[in-house]
Amino acid sequence: MRYRPTHRKLRAAAVACAVAAVAVPAPAAAWAVTAPRAPAVAAPTPDPFDGLTPAQIADRAVDATRSADSLRMTGKVVSEGQDLDVDFSVDDRGSCQGRIGVDEGDAELRRLDGVTYMKGDAAFWRISMAAQGVPENRIAPVIELVQGRWLKIGPGQAGSADLGEICDLDSLLDDLGKDRDGRAGLTRGPDREVDGTPVATLVEKESDATTTVSVAQEGNPYIRQVVRTGGDEPGSMTLSAFDRPVEVTAPPADETVDLSRLDPGTPA
C-alpha cells in the first residue's frame, strides 16, 4: 500500500510557485507528522469485508479510490525542517483548488483549462523561494510584483508540468497500490472511524515504520486515511469528498500577473 510517492508530489506543490518563478528543481518530500489516533469502534453489522483477507480488502480499496472522479486531500507535513499544511480538491480533468501552508506562509491554488493560478502571502513566497536557494536580491522583486495578486502559469511555462501532475487525479494516485507484493504482509487492525465514517484498518509493519490504511466500511470502499509512523517519512493524509464536482473559477484578469513577467524566457 505504498503512498509515499504521492506525498512527494504534495511536497512539490508547496514549493511549485518558487520553481515556476526561478526555474529550479523542487526537493523530495520528507513527511513528519502523525495523525491523532481515533478510538476503536465496533464494525458495522454485517461486516462488509467478512471473509476477505487484508490483501483482498486492499485490492478493493485501491480499485475504488482510483476510480473516483474527484476527491479532497488534507494533510500536515514537516519536510526539511518546514511545517507544511495542504488542503485541496482535485478531479480527473486536471482541475483543482485549495490551499498550501509553509511555516507561517500561506497560498491559494487554482487550476483549470491547463492554467495554474497561485496567490501567496509574503511569507509564503519568501519561505518557498529561500528553500530553493534563491538569493535575496531576486526574492524581494518577485514578492513586490506578486504580493496580493495571482501568479498565472500557462501551459509550457516553468513549473506548469509539475503543477499539472499535482492537479490531475489520475497522476496524483498513479503510485497508489502499485506494490501488490507488499499487500501480502498486511494485517487487519482494529476498526475505528474517520470523520464519522466506520473504517477497517490495514496495517503494514516494516523494520522501522508502520503504515495504517483506513478503508470505508460504508458505501464504496474508498481509502479514507493513510498514516505512517516511524521511518524516514512519517506523516498522514485524509481523503474525503469523493466524486463531488470541483468548481474552479479563474481570478479576474486585473488581479493576476503572468509568469512571463518573472521569467522572460517562457512564453506568455
Side-chain angles (χ1 to χ4, degrees), residues 51-134:
L52 298 181
T53 66
Q56 290 170 330
I57 298 173
D59 288 342
R60 292 193 178 187
V62 168
D63 290 344
T65 304
R66 289 176 61 90
S67 69
D69 295 330
S70 61
L71 54 79
R72 178 183 179 187
M73 301 181 120
T74 58
K76 293 183 180 293
V77 183
V78 174
S79 179
E80 299 186 350
Q82 292 181 321
D83 294 324
L84 305 181
D85 185 350
V86 297
D87 181 351
F88 65 94
S89 299
V90 58
D91 65 22
D92 59 359
R93 297 174 297 172
S95 299
C96 73
Q97 65 178 355
R99 58 169 296 277
I100 302 169
V102 182
D103 288 342
E104 295 82 18
D106 194 81
E108 296 178 68
L109 169 68
R110 299 181 190 178
R111 183 177 174 93
L112 71 160
D113 299 328
V115 179
T116 304
Y117 303 88
M118 296 195 76
K119 182 180 182 181
D121 57 21
F124 180 85
W125 291 107
R126 184 173 300 280
I127 292 168
S128 298
M129 287 188 282
Q132 305 303 308
V134 181

Side-chain angles (χ1 to χ4, degrees), residues 105 157 211 237 258:
Q157 292 183 312
T211 300
M237 179 61 58
D258 196 278

Side-chain angles (χ1 to χ4, degrees), residues 236-260:
S236 66
M237 179 61 58
T238 299
L239 309 182
S240 62
F242 294 92
D243 298 317
R244 297 181 186 176
V246 179
E247 303 291 345
V248 185
T249 303
D254 60 359
E255 296 179 13
T256 68
V257 56
D258 196 278
L259 176 62
S260 59

